[in-house]
Amino acid sequence: GDGPPCHGPDLLAECGDNCPDDANPAQMDGDADGTGEAWALPHWWVAVETNGKVVALTFDDGWHDGRLRSILDTLHQHHAYATFFITGGNIQQQNTELETMFLARSAGHQFGNHTFNHSVGTTTAEAVVEINLNEQFYLDQGLGSLRPLFRLPAPDLLNPQLWVQMATQQTGFSASVLANIDTIDWMDPEPPAEGMVACILEQVQPGDIISMHAGPEVTAAAMPEIVAGLKALGYELVTVEQLIAFGEPGVFVPFQPGSYKSCETYY
């Protein structure tokens, strides 16, 4: 970079690190984990800093094929695109049909890695196995590679750990994606559809990444109003990869106001 070296957290505000997502042997390594301190800080995309009226809808897991098909139908009707983080385990168990995944791929939607068993384990080595297992499963099914996108499975989603960051680096997943609007649609009982719609339409801003799931009945039911409402506000619905091209990443900072918008107050 052009500034002073990134030697330690106290200097990060002033230093110039031209590869903030990559381990850099020139950085100090105070905890001797093999990764410089600059890269060790949480650096997970929650949004894109842009004035363009674009947002990314994302859907995780895939425990109900019929509702996933309904989501795809809504997107198709509105010429909208989304990103799907469907676990290989759900496809293998036919909770999501392979044919549905081919339909999603052919429609221009993007896929990302959410691990095979919805778990990153407790070590870098275990996370690497889970990430690679899911990547290889998709390749074996003819669905193509999931790179570069990775998303942590819950309950780790709000607490990205360094050892998981190291696993994504080792497996070639260069864009670790969280979200800054969380619909928490997985709740039991399911939240009301009108609350989910209001949460998104009242809080949405350019560059937002919105987290939902391909499984809850409420999500499939709310999608037509969500998509139509976003379109009425002038937003284009794009994949995460398309969104990234619009600007710099908004970085997740734990417990910092504004980094994260939950729908909990709407339910």
Side-chain angles (χ1 to χ4, degrees), residues 225-264:
E225 195 169 349
I226 290 170
V227 175
L230 289 170
K231 289 277 191 175
L233 291 172
Y235 283 95
E236 183 180 0
L237 279 63
V238 299
T239 68
V240 169
E241 190 168 42
Q242 291 168 335
L243 186 72
I244 286 173
F246 277 83
E248 295 299 316
V251 179
F252 174 74
V253 181
F255 310 115
Q256 176 175 302
S259 277
Y260 179 75
K261 295 176 281 191
S262 173
C263 289
E264 188 172 2

Side-chain angles (χ1 to χ4, degrees), residues 105-120:
R105 180 68 94 183
S106 64
H109 302 297
Q110 186 176 14
F111 296 161
N113 198 320
H114 198 46
T115 74
F116 187 84
N117 292 301
H118 201 261
S119 170
V120 288

Side-chain angles (χ1 to χ4, degrees), residues 158-232:
L158 294 184
N159 189 28
Q161 300 291 325
L162 171 59
W163 54 268
V164 182
Q165 291 174 299
M166 294 176 69
T168 59
Q169 183 192 37
Q170 291 177 22
T171 53
F173 285 87
S174 58
S176 296
V177 182
L178 297 178
N180 63 337
I181 296 183
D182 186 0
T183 61
I184 49 175
D185 55 351
W186 46 265
M187 295 171 60
D188 185 16
E190 292 185 6
E194 59 270 20
M196 185 184 302
V197 173
C199 168
I200 293 173
L201 299 186
E202 291 178 12
Q203 296 190 96
V204 68
Q205 293 178 303
D208 279 351
I209 299 174
I210 302 169
S211 171
M212 292 180 278
H213 289 76
E217 182 178 3
V218 63
T219 306
M223 270 292 290
E225 195 169 349
I226 290 170
V227 175
L230 289 170
K231 289 277 191 175

Side-chain angles (χ1 to χ4, degrees), residues 45-169:
W45 288 48
V46 297
V48 169
E49 297 175 357
T50 178
N51 292 322
K53 297 201 77 173
V54 287
V55 296
L57 300 180
T58 64
F59 299 88
D60 295 354
D61 297 353
W63 66 79
H64 195 289
D65 186 74
R67 292 163 192 165
L68 175 53
R69 290 256 184 163
S70 177
I71 291 168
L72 292 172
D73 287 344
T74 299
L75 293 168
H76 177 73
Q77 291 166 15
H78 291 272
H79 306 287
Y81 298 93
T83 303
F84 293 90
F85 296 90
I86 307 299
T87 65
N90 271 313
I91 301 172
Q92 186 182 66
Q93 296 167 23
Q94 298 183 315
N95 298 325
T96 289
E97 297 290 342
L98 189 59
E99 180 184 356
T100 304
M101 296 299 292
F102 278 111
L103 286 173
R105 180 68 94 183
S106 64
H109 302 297
Q110 186 176 14
F111 296 161
N113 198 320
H114 198 46
T115 74
F116 187 84
N117 292 301
H118 201 261
S119 170
V120 288
T122 58
T123 66
T124 296
E126 290 176 355
V128 165
V129 168
E130 273 290 330
I131 293 169
N132 281 336
L133 185 63
N134 206 42
E135 167 74 2
Q136 191 59 51
F137 179 81
Y138 269 73
L139 291 172
D140 290 345
Q141 304 309 310
L143 290 168
S145 175
L146 298 172
R147 294 185 174 94
L149 300 186
F150 171 77
R151 172 172 278 171
L152 271 167
D156 306 284
L157 189 58
L158 294 184
N159 189 28
Q161 300 291 325
L162 171 59
W163 54 268
V164 182
Q165 291 174 299
M166 294 176 69
T168 59
Q169 183 192 37

